[in-house]
């Protein structure tokens, strides 16, 4: 039985290699930073979501260390048994204040937050409408909920409104990314909020890539558009990106949070985050709100990178965020460029199907406040040189 299974699995893996879609892990041998050691080589990392450079901030590290000394390494249990520490509770209160919501609830990962929230809010007979380019965790949450799932055209308000108008019974939950993780563009939240009000639908936004980066104090897309809990009732964010730590949260009304505590299986049946992580996140929250220069520098680096890529004649997507996709379209070429850049000392994501649609392969460059202008310029030059080299090889 095992031999037969392995043979079938190997055939599947062989086909994935032939399709230029095989994924491989690389060994990180240093702390998370703009310059890292990977597979024994020093590289400039342009593939991290640590947008503000807080993962290795001395104050965040010190808070984590003191948290471990006080609470130990693990939390010992789920939140509803006895794993809910005072650090968790304090962080939830601070995240609620940060987002302008009555309450917030911590989850162990963003995937679990999305899956658990959608399943807790809708069931058979209800409806989930999702943007076609939503993150996999949102799509999986809709499928797992047993509600009827539809996917409207990307950021197409008219298509969404038409679908909502046809629904005659059941609850309606509209779900979208705030910043789309592969394209870097922004969801039209004001228009989505208006449409949901008109059709008596609930709006849920996963702003994982917006928190820390967007908004005057880093409050994400909701702060950027001045949307309160009435316009945007279900707001999800992650802590492993702009915050530089780990975990996730959902913010909203008292009724929403109590419902998740009672019905979100991914909250009820999992071990709580280590208290030390919550303690470290409390410090990173203070830093990202206070040090506005980090967001200002990011915007400067984004503009510099986009200008450089345009100058060498490559195609960019419409992204005002640290996520800067450079479209190459061809899967094999995208993989080759990614590997070549790594040998030159630059780590860049080479994103291919099924993560993105067929024919939309791209280099996913992510910028960080710790990057320098010289590093950004060097990456642009390396991309240009690599493509020139590969073209010569095909002549």
């Amino acid at each position: 039985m095992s031999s037969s299974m392995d043979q079938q699995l190997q055939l599947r893996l062989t086909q994935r290699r032939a399709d230029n879609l095989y994924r491989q892990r690389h060994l990180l041998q240093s702390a998370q930073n703009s310059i890292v050691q990977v597979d024994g080589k020093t590289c400039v990392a342009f593939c991290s979501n640590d947008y503000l450079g807080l993962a290795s901030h001395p104050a965040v590290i010190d808070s984590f260390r003191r948290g471990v000394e006080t609470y130990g390494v693990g939390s010992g249990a789920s939140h509803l048994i006895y794993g809910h520490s005072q650090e968790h509770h304090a962080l939830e209160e601070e995240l609620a204040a940060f987002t302008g919501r009555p309450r917030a609830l911590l989850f162990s990962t963003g995937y679990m937050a999305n899956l658990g929230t959608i399943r807790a809010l809708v069931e058979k007979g209800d409806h989930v409408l999702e943007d076609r380019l939503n993150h996999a965790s949102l799509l999986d949450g809709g499928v797992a909920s047993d509600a009827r799932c539809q996917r409207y055209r990307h950021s197409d308000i008219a298509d969404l409104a038409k679908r909502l108008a046809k629904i005659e019974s059941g609850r309606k939950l509209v779900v979208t990314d705030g910043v789309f993780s592969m394209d870097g563009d922004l969801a039209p939240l004001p228009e989505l909020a208006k449409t949901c009000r008109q059709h008596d639908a609930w709006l849920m936004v996963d702003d994982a890539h917006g928190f820390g980066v967007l908004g005057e104090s880093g409050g994400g897309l909701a702060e950027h558009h001045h949307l309160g809990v009435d316009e945007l009732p279900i707001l999800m964010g992650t802590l492993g990106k702009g915050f530089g730590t780990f975990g996730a949260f959902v913010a909203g009304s008292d009724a929403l949070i109590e419902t998740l505590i009672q019905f979100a299986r991914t909250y009820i049946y999992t071990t709580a985050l280590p208290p030390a992580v919550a303690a470290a996140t409390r410090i990173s929250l203070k830093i990202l709100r206070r040090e506005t220069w980090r967001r200002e520098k990011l915007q400067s680096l984004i503009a510099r990178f986009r200008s450089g890529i345009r100058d060498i004649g490559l195609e960019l997507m419409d992204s005002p965020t640290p996520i800067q996709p450079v479209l190459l379209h061809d899967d094999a070429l995208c993989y080759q460029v990614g590997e070549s850049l790594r040998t030159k000392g630059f780590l860049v994501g080479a994103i291919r199907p099924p993560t993105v649609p067929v024919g939309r392969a791209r280099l996913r460059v992510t910028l960080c406040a710790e990057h320098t202008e010289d590093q950004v310029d060097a990456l642009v030059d390396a991309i240009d040189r690599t493509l020139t080299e590969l073209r010569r090889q095909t002549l």
Side-chain angles (χ1 to χ4, degrees):
M1 178 68 73
S2 176
S3 175
S4 173
M5 180 189 76
D6 286 350
Q7 289 174 3
Q8 292 181 48
L9 294 179
Q10 285 297 336
L11 286 173
R12 191 179 181 191
L13 294 172
T14 299
Q15 185 60 52
R16 198 167 185 85
R17 289 183 189 275
D19 292 339
N20 295 301
L21 300 178
Y22 201 84
R23 294 179 171 93
Q24 292 178 287
R25 299 184 299 178
H26 297 289
L27 189 61
L28 179 66
Q29 298 161 308
S30 65
Q32 186 64 243
N33 215 316
S34 58
I35 298 178
V36 295
Q37 289 285 324
V38 174
D39 296 334
K41 183 177 179 62
T42 300
C43 295
V44 184
F46 283 98
C47 55
S48 169
N49 295 326
D50 180 29
Y51 301 128
L52 301 181
L54 297 181
S56 296
H57 193 289
V60 177
I61 293 172
D62 183 61
S63 179
F64 182 79
R65 182 184 297 112
R66 286 185 284 108
V68 169
E69 291 170 351
T70 303
Y71 300 102
V73 175
S75 58
S78 67
H79 284 278
L80 296 184
I81 302 298
Y82 81 111
H84 188 66
S85 75
Q86 60 185 5
E87 291 292 345
H88 295 122
H89 203 72
L91 177 58
E92 288 181 343
E93 290 179 337
E94 290 161 8
L95 287 170
F98 177 54
T99 59
R101 267 70 182 162
R103 290 181 65 184
L105 187 70
L106 287 173
F107 283 80
S108 294
T109 68
Y111 209 109
M112 295 173 73
N114 284 335
L115 195 70
T117 298
I118 295 173
R119 289 192 65 188
L121 295 179
V122 293
E123 57 191 7
K124 189 173 182 179
D126 296 330
H127 303 264
V128 177
L129 298 95
E130 305 217 19
D131 189 290
R132 189 165 294 279
L133 296 188
N134 273 354
H135 188 269
S137 59
L138 295 173
L139 300 175
D140 288 355
V143 172
S145 71
D146 290 331
R148 184 186 175 193
C149 296
Q150 302 181 52
R151 295 170 71 178
Y152 60 91
R153 289 193 294 269
H154 178 50
S155 293
D156 190 327
I157 301 300
D159 185 38
L160 172 62
K162 183 169 62 177
R163 293 171 183 271
L164 284 169
K166 292 179 180 178
I167 298 174
E168 298 180 350
S169 63
R171 287 168 286 196
K172 293 167 281 189
L173 176 64
V174 175
V175 183
T176 183
D177 279 359
V179 176
F180 290 90
S181 59
M182 290 298 118
D183 289 12
D185 59 330
L186 309 182
L189 287 197
E191 294 84 355
L192 284 170
K194 180 180 178 181
T195 301
C196 286
R197 286 197 304 272
Q198 291 171 342
H199 294 274
D200 193 27
W202 302 340
L203 178 58
M204 175 179 174
V205 173
D206 173 348
D207 203 21
H209 295 273
F211 277 109
V213 174
L214 300 172
E216 186 177 345
S217 64
L221 206 50
E223 182 186 36
H224 178 73
H225 287 299
H226 307 290
L227 296 178
V229 69
D230 291 335
E231 297 90 358
L232 176 46
I234 310 158
L235 179 60
M236 178 274 194
T238 55
L239 306 174
K241 298 177 177 65
F243 287 83
T245 58
F246 188 75
F249 67 94
V250 174
S253 67
D254 182 73
L256 171 68
I257 300 306
E258 281 300 315
T259 297
L260 296 182
I261 290 173
Q262 300 302 320
F263 297 102
R265 293 168 65 86
T266 58
Y267 176 81
I268 298 167
Y269 299 110
T270 195
T271 302
L273 279 175
V277 172
T281 305
R282 295 179 65 194
I283 297 301
S284 68
L285 174 56
K286 289 182 173 65
I287 295 170
L288 76 84
R289 297 188 72 174
R290 181 177 67 243
E291 297 186 1
T292 58
W293 67 264
R294 294 178 183 272
R295 284 181 289 281
E296 293 164 2
K297 184 179 178 185
L298 260 181
Q299 289 304 314
S300 174
L301 293 176
I302 291 167
R304 190 178 189 92
F305 177 77
R306 292 182 67 84
S307 175
I309 290 296
R310 282 193 294 262
D311 286 346
I312 62 174
L314 294 181
E315 183 180 356
L316 282 163
M317 300 189 74
D318 185 20
S319 170
T321 72
I323 301 168
Q324 291 296 315
V326 181
L327 282 171
L328 298 180
H329 300 284
D330 183 89
D331 296 341
L333 175 64
C334 187
Y335 175 77
Q336 291 170 341
V337 172
E339 288 298 294
S340 180
L341 287 173
R342 187 164 59 88
T343 65
K344 292 179 171 71
F346 299 94
L347 296 179
V348 172
I351 309 299
R352 294 150 288 154
T355 306
V356 294
V358 174
R360 300 289 285 176
R362 82 278 308 263
L363 300 176
R364 182 181 182 270
V365 175
T366 55
L367 299 167
C368 166
E370 295 294 315
H371 285 135
T372 67
E373 291 183 347
D374 286 345
Q375 288 170 340
V376 170
D377 293 345
L379 173 63
V380 172
D381 179 64
I383 293 172
D384 190 25
R385 286 189 289 111
T386 298
L387 285 168
T388 300
E389 292 165 3
L390 291 172
R391 289 179 188 124
R392 285 173 179 164
Q393 292 173 14
T394 60
L395 293 178

